[in-house]
């Protein structure tokens, strides 16, 4: 059946638009530039949420190079992934415009040769759609330097 539209009739329509949350995470990784073999190295993983939405269940992943020990990773809040050199941290919510940083103190093996380059890698991800995932990976380099053992007679 049809209904006639009169001058006093009002037509209405409703449009519902569902918007996905969108966050642009980025990651910077920084480490002690040089270190002696066997001495601690500090690595910092900094995650930025450039918005526009809050990022939910953000995971920060740190991959350590060979020749590095992470003896107190759990005490520093890192969770080892299956006995590997990969560790993670979880941020339940990272608000738009906010930053979070985590440090990881590790110890290079004492027998590393001076000139060895330790490459620390990191990645971040979230359950929230990322508008630019190309900036979610970072790395930093620490060079092992030698120390002189001098004596004066």
């Amino acid at each position: 059946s049809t209904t006639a539209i009169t001058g006093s009739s009002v037509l209405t329509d409703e449009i519902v638009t569902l918007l996905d949350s969108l966050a642009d995470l980025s990651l910077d990784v920084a480490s002690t530039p040089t270190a002696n073999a066997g001495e601690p190295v500090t690595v910092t993983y900094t995650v930025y949420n450039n918005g526009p939405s809050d990022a939910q269940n953000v995971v920060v992943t740190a991959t350590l190079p060979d020749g590095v020990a992470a003896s107190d990773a759990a005490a520093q809040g890192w969770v080892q992934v299956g006995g590997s050199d990969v560790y993670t941290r979880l941020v339940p919510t990272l608000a738009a415009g906010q930053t979070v940083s985590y440090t990881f103190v590790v110890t290079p093996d004492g027998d590393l040769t001076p000139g060895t380059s330790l490459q620390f890698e990191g990645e971040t991800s979230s359950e929230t759609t990322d508008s630019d995932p190309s900036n979610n990976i970072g790395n930093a380099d620490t060079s092992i330097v030698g120390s002189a053992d001098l004596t004066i007679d």
Side-chain angles (χ1 to χ4, degrees):
S1 85
T2 56
T3 304
I5 299 175
T6 65
S8 62
S9 297
V10 177
L11 294 175
T12 61
D13 200 359
E14 182 178 317
I15 297 174
V16 176
T17 304
L18 299 176
L19 300 176
D20 286 334
S21 295
L22 208 61
D24 178 20
L25 298 178
S26 61
L27 176 70
D28 283 337
V29 181
S31 65
T32 307
T34 59
N36 290 312
E39 294 183 2
V41 170
T42 300
V43 187
T44 304
Y45 298 84
T46 304
V47 181
Y48 303 88
N49 180 359
N50 301 305
S53 301
D54 294 353
Q56 302 300 318
N57 295 317
V58 176
V59 177
V60 182
T61 303
T63 303
L64 303 182
D66 291 338
V68 172
S71 56
D72 64 345
Q76 297 177 60
W78 293 92
V79 176
Q80 188 175 21
V81 177
S84 68
D85 289 334
V86 177
Y87 295 81
T88 61
R89 296 283 298 249
L90 175 66
V91 184
T93 301
L94 184 58
Q98 296 296 304
T99 301
V100 64
S101 293
Y102 295 111
T103 58
F104 203 156
V105 179
V106 297
T107 305
D109 294 345
D111 60 353
L112 288 177
T113 305
T116 299
S117 175
L118 300 175
Q119 195 70 232
F120 297 95
E121 298 175 356
E123 184 174 358
T124 190
S125 61
S126 171
E127 287 181 0
T128 305
T129 301
D130 194 321
S131 61
D132 180 12
S134 68
N135 56 5
N136 293 7
I137 297 172
N139 61 63
D141 180 77
T142 297
S143 296
I144 299 300
V145 295
S147 57
D149 186 15
L150 301 175
T151 59
I152 298 177
D153 292 327

